Amino acid sequence: MASTTFVIIGASLAGAKGAEALREAGYSDRIVLIGDETEVPYERPPLSKQYLQGKQELEKAFVHPAEWYGDHDIDLRLGTTAAAIDRDGRSVTLADGTRVAYDALLLATGSSPRRLPVPGGNLEGVHYLRRIPDCEQIKATLRTASRVVFVGGGWIGLEVTAAAREAGIEAVVLEADELPLGRVLGPEIARVFADMHRQHGVDLRPGSHVTEILSEGGRASGVLLADGTRIGADAVVVGIGAAPNIGLAEAAGLTIDNGVRVDASLRSSDPHVFAAGDVANAFHPLLGKHIRVEHWDNARKQPAVAARAMLGEEAVYDRVPYFFTDQYDLGMEYSGYIEPGGYDDVVVRGDLEGREFLAFWLADGRVKAGMNVNIWDVNKQIQQLVQTGGRVDAAKLADADTPLDQVAAS
Ligand SMILES: Cc1cc2nc3c(=O)[nH]c(=O)nc-3n(C[C@H](O)[C@H](O)[C@H](O)COP(=O)(O)OP(=O)(O)OC[C@H]3O[C@@H](n4cnc5c(N)ncnc54)[C@H](O)[C@@H]3O)c2cc1C
């Protein structure tokens, strides 16, 4: 049989895991892994946590050691941008004009930070965090700044805020909504995070709308809010979400719908093109709808399904969505998926004030999502509750003495 080539665009977590999964599945032909960053594929969570805080070496973030790619005969092209996809001719054109033919293509182009659309948004001293160089800049800022304004109280913003406070820097967090994380967690549990940051001395200001980044000598010197308030700062860190990198896919005429729309096997509207990770809006059989998940676990696990589908095998991605965060001394895992307002009850087991608890979001008596905060080795059981979707007894769920596999409603 003629030798084939599988091309992967995006050499980060999903891309590297895709290459790994193809080799593990026994694919021994050519794999070309194309990435526009210059570092070997790495995981991003440490960039807002341990690596940012100087508690972890950069190498620990690498998905594989540098030599792994050569050892597994993967043609890793770093610092290389894929400029176009020719679906009829089944080839990818690189920025230097080189063409790479493919038999199957995996898009793992991820997402990019949303920019703050206000005057001054691109001034020096305004930081966005996605890549290693961004992290290095923020790390340097945390060594010298005395006051930093954070625009956006999402996961990344709050993690960097925690790093700033632990470095003894004054931190002001500006959140447009009533509560940071309110849309993801709902007010009951989002409040736990808001209280924690306030207890650590963060000046948290909900309902704040930034209209301008102020400047002094060409550098960001603070922000102006819609109500006229001016807040001075040595630097501004913006974390207002991310947008999927769909440019290539869109230009190639693939179906786009909040990312590259793919089926449960991660196959796009073109049977030779697949997508995984942050860029993929995949049909999730458990939820019965398409979802795009911007989390580490999804980028880590989806590629194995894409790889099997690329090899013509039956494969479906139906894992319960999962993510984690670490802020100060709080470690948390969350499993499940709920759209804002998509629950009618929150059940807590444990000590909310002491930040050692489990929380469950219920709709119609069924667990739609669950979270463990500073309690470990329960995640599998929480996922099981979400997965099975049976009705539960809220009193048993709240009772720490009732095992989680015995909370079914009678
Ligand atoms: C600072 C930070 C902290 C995070 N912390 C957590 C956490 O605690 N928990 C959690 O669950 N998730 C976390 N995440 C989210 C997680 O890192 C992402 O979900 C994951 O990185 C997605 O991986 P990916 O490979 O799909 O995409 P990405 O990591 O975005 O990688 C896509 C790659 O493709 C490249 N690329 C794009 N277009 C092209 C092109 N045309 N040619 C060549 N290359 C291209 C990009 O430059 C990039 O290298 C964090 C993210 C960040 C930024």
Side-chain angles (χ1 to χ4, degrees):
M1 234 171 75
S3 177
T4 57
T5 301
F6 284 178
V7 172
I8 302 173
I9 304 178
S12 181
L13 182 54
K17 284 287 174 189
E20 178 188 324
L22 284 169
R23 287 292 180 244
E24 278 185 355
Y27 180 70
S28 56
D29 286 356
R30 188 163 173 241
I31 299 176
V32 185
L33 176 55
I34 299 163
D36 58 6
E37 293 186 78
T38 50
E39 300 84 3
V40 289
Y42 59 91
E43 301 193 357
R44 299 182 199 276
L47 304 189
S48 52
K49 308 179 189 65
Q50 307 92 323
Y51 180 68
L52 177 68
Q53 293 182 285
K55 294 177 181 167
Q56 183 184 300
E57 299 298 310
L58 186 58
E59 287 69 25
K60 285 239 171 187
F62 293 165
V63 181
H64 299 294
E67 59 277 15
W68 182 89
Y69 300 89
D71 291 350
H72 289 78
D73 200 16
I74 286 152
D75 181 358
L76 175 60
R77 313 240 185 128
L78 295 175
T80 303
T81 302
I85 300 165
D86 170 5
R87 292 201 289 123
D88 293 333
R90 272 197 239 155
S91 72
V92 174
T93 305
L94 307 181
D96 68 0
T98 314
R99 287 169 86 88
V100 185
Y102 67 80
D103 293 280
L105 174 66
L106 175 61
L107 296 173
T109 51
S111 57
S112 298
R114 289 187 199 277
R115 300 272 145 180
L116 191 63
V118 302
N122 290 319
L123 280 167
E124 203 181 311
V126 178
H127 301 281
Y128 294 84
L129 179 53
R130 186 80 199 172
R131 296 174 162 202
I132 289 171
D134 306 329
C135 178
E136 299 299 356
Q137 282 188 17
I138 295 174
K139 217 169 169 177
T141 298
L142 297 189
R143 280 197 285 271
T144 54
S146 45
R147 188 172 212 232
V148 174
V149 163
F150 293 87
V151 182
W155 297 111
I156 294 175
L158 292 180
E159 287 169 2
V160 182
T161 299
R165 287 303 300 136
E166 292 196 336
I169 294 164
E170 267 184 62
V172 182
V173 173
L174 304 174
E175 166 59 45
D177 285 348
E178 277 172 38
L179 270 175
L181 308 175
R183 281 171 58 82
V184 201
L185 304 180
E188 303 85 353
I189 304 300
R191 205 162 285 128
V192 174
F193 286 82
D195 289 350
M196 172 176 72
H197 280 276
R198 288 202 167 108
Q199 284 161 15
H200 281 87
V202 173
D203 178 358
L204 179 57
R205 304 194 193 183
S208 297
H209 298 272
V210 174
T211 53
E212 188 180 336
I213 307 283
L214 303 169
S215 73
E216 222 174 85
R219 269 191 64 86
S221 62
V223 296
L224 176 67
L225 303 186
D227 66 2
T229 308
R230 297 166 88 87
I231 306 170
D234 303 306
V236 177
V237 176
V238 181
I240 53 169
N245 295 325
I246 50 159
L248 269 183
E250 194 166 33
L254 292 167
T255 302
I256 303 295
D257 160 27
N258 177 33
V260 178
R261 191 174 169 94
V262 290
D263 63 17
S265 302
L266 307 177
R267 186 180 278 106
S268 76
S269 52
D270 177 333
H272 299 284
V273 182
F274 299 77
D278 279 18
V279 78
N281 185 17
F283 183 79
H284 198 291
L286 181 68
L287 302 164
K289 61 181 168 192
H290 281 78
I291 59 165
R292 192 173 66 79
V293 178
E294 286 177 358
H295 291 303
W296 170 87
D297 184 66
N298 182 73
R300 212 165 132 254
K301 299 286 190 188
Q302 264 189 346
V305 169
R308 288 179 50 206
M310 288 166 89
L311 291 166
E313 295 171 21
E314 289 290 321
V316 162
Y317 188 78
D318 59 3
R319 271 174 75 84
V320 173
Y322 164 95
F323 67 90
F324 66 94
T325 188
D326 294 307
Q327 300 172 30
Y328 309 106
D329 55 2
L330 178 149
M332 174 283 262
E333 296 175 292
Y334 177 104
S335 300
Y337 181 86
I338 309 188
E339 263 148 20
Y343 64 92
D344 49 39
D345 194 12
V346 179
V347 174
V348 174
R349 164 187 290 222
D351 179 4
L352 207 60
E353 299 297 312
R355 294 191 279 269
E356 207 173 297
F357 64 91
L358 310 183
F360 301 91
W361 287 261
L362 274 60
D364 192 25
R366 301 170 202 276
V367 177
K368 297 293 172 187
M371 170 193 267
N372 48 302
V373 172
N374 287 343
I375 293 177
W376 305 105
D377 301 323
V378 286
N379 187 251
K380 276 216 172 80
Q381 295 169 67
I382 294 175
Q383 297 219 344
Q384 198 79 38
L385 285 172
V386 176
Q387 189 106 43
T388 49
R391 281 182 194 279
V392 294
D393 180 324
K396 289 182 187 165
L397 200 56
D399 174 22
D401 293 328
T402 306
L404 283 178
D405 56 6
Q406 290 170 31
V407 296
S410 40

